[in-house]
Amino acid sequence: GQQVQQSPASLVLQEGENAELQCNFSSTATQLQWFYQRPGGSLVSLLYNPSGTKHTGRLTSTTVTKERRSSLHISSSQITDSGTYFCAINTGANTGKLTFGHGTILRVHP
Amino acid sequence: ETAVFQTPNYHVTQVGNEVSFNCKQTLGHDTMYWYKQDSKKLLKIMFSYNNKQLIVNETVPRRFSPQSSDKAHLNLRIKSVEPEDSAVYLCASSYTGGSDYTFGSGTRLLVI
């Protein structure tokens, strides 16, 4: 079946540093999204980026579909960015079914 | 307020009992999902309905059964819960094909 690999598994930053999260997937993805989950919280969609580069606020995602990889760049990290970041893909069939990676746990310290 | 609403937030029950979780979305979406998030935070889809029709039915134990009365509601029933059912159950909705994906706040189940 489809596999989604995320790296690193965890990341610790000082406030103000930048973060780079990676996502590699085994099948061609027709849909790729990045989600964020605060400890004990729900998932919030950050960026929908099946190909190319997308920006929102301090977040930039670049997806290279042919190479089956995507990255999420967080600039000038803040303490409130701490949480788990998930990459998820939908490989088609119009079902909306998402396959998730294991996530990257980000901790930002003051 | 438009969102995905789940009840209860938290439920503790004993092995062998039956539980039901409710999910309602007010976003006008036509597809709803149930995901299970285990203790290691891995998310896996269980079921998906599009306009009340079951379209995704992953390999889950038969004690799990989804129930959809209309496209805005998708409930989950678990008959005779087992310890490995302890997890967070997340409901989500989207438009057909997966755009505007929105998750509820989750139902945390603890089976003792």
Side-chain angles (χ1 to χ4, degrees):
Chain A
Q2 304 109 26
Q3 289 190 353
V4 181
Q5 303 288 340
Q6 288 189 245
S7 62
S10 63
L11 186 59
V12 179
L13 298 175
Q14 290 288 116
E15 194 173 16
E17 291 182 326
N18 299 331
E20 189 85 10
L21 283 58
Q22 303 293 338
C23 175
N24 292 276
F25 38 95
S26 60
S27 304
T28 301
T30 59
Q31 182 186 119
L32 185 142
Q33 291 191 62
W34 286 93
F35 290 89
Y36 166 74
Q37 187 176 39
R38 186 164 283 122
S42 184
L43 274 87
V44 175
S45 179
L46 295 174
L47 279 166
Y48 170 79
N49 186 22
S51 67
T53 299
K54 301 278 192 308
H55 304 274
T56 182
R58 294 180 292 106
L59 305 178
T60 302
S61 172
T62 299
T63 299
V64 184
T65 310
K66 280 196 292 191
E67 296 180 15
R68 298 180 183 172
R69 61 178 174 86
S70 181
S71 65
L72 179 68
H73 182 87
I74 306 172
S75 63
S76 302
S77 62
Q78 300 175 0
I79 296 170
T80 51
D81 293 333
S82 297
T84 305
Y85 291 79
F86 292 98
C87 171
I89 65 169
N90 179 347
T91 56
N94 212 34
T95 64
K97 168 187 167 182
L98 292 178
T99 300
F100 282 80
H102 282 73
T104 292
I105 299 172
L106 174 65
R107 292 191 182 89
V108 182
H109 294 305
Chain B
E1 183 187 2
T2 54
V4 178
F5 300 96
Q6 290 187 238
T7 58
N9 294 325
Y10 189 68
H11 189 78
V12 182
T13 191
Q14 293 182 323
V15 172
N17 285 349
E18 177 176 312
V19 299
S20 285
F21 304 146
N22 299 315
C23 181
K24 176 181 81 169
Q25 57 94 5
T26 57
L27 294 157
H29 292 158
D30 46 27
T31 308
M32 295 186 72
Y33 314 83
W34 277 108
Y35 284 83
K36 179 180 180 181
Q37 186 171 36
D38 63 21
S39 58
K40 296 181 180 178
K41 294 193 176 180
L42 182 61
L43 284 134
K44 286 190 176 177
I45 192 164
M46 301 174 70
F47 304 102
S48 173
Y49 273 72
N50 177 268
N51 285 308
K52 297 200 303 178
Q53 298 295 318
L54 181 66
I55 58 171
V56 174
N57 187 0
E58 293 295 291
T59 306
V60 297
R62 291 180 65 180
R63 60 182 180 276
F64 288 83
S65 59
Q67 299 161 325
S68 180
S69 56
D70 56 56
K71 68 177 186 177
H73 295 83
L74 181 62
N75 299 332
L76 181 66
R77 186 177 72 167
I78 314 174
K79 287 197 296 186
S80 191
V81 295
E82 298 187 7
E84 61 262 32
D85 297 337
S86 296
V88 177
Y89 292 87
L90 288 157
C91 177
S93 70
S94 76
Y95 292 113
T96 298
S99 61
D100 200 33
Y101 233 98
T102 306
F103 279 85
S105 56
T107 294
R108 185 176 296 274
L109 174 66
L110 179 61
V111 181
I112 57 175

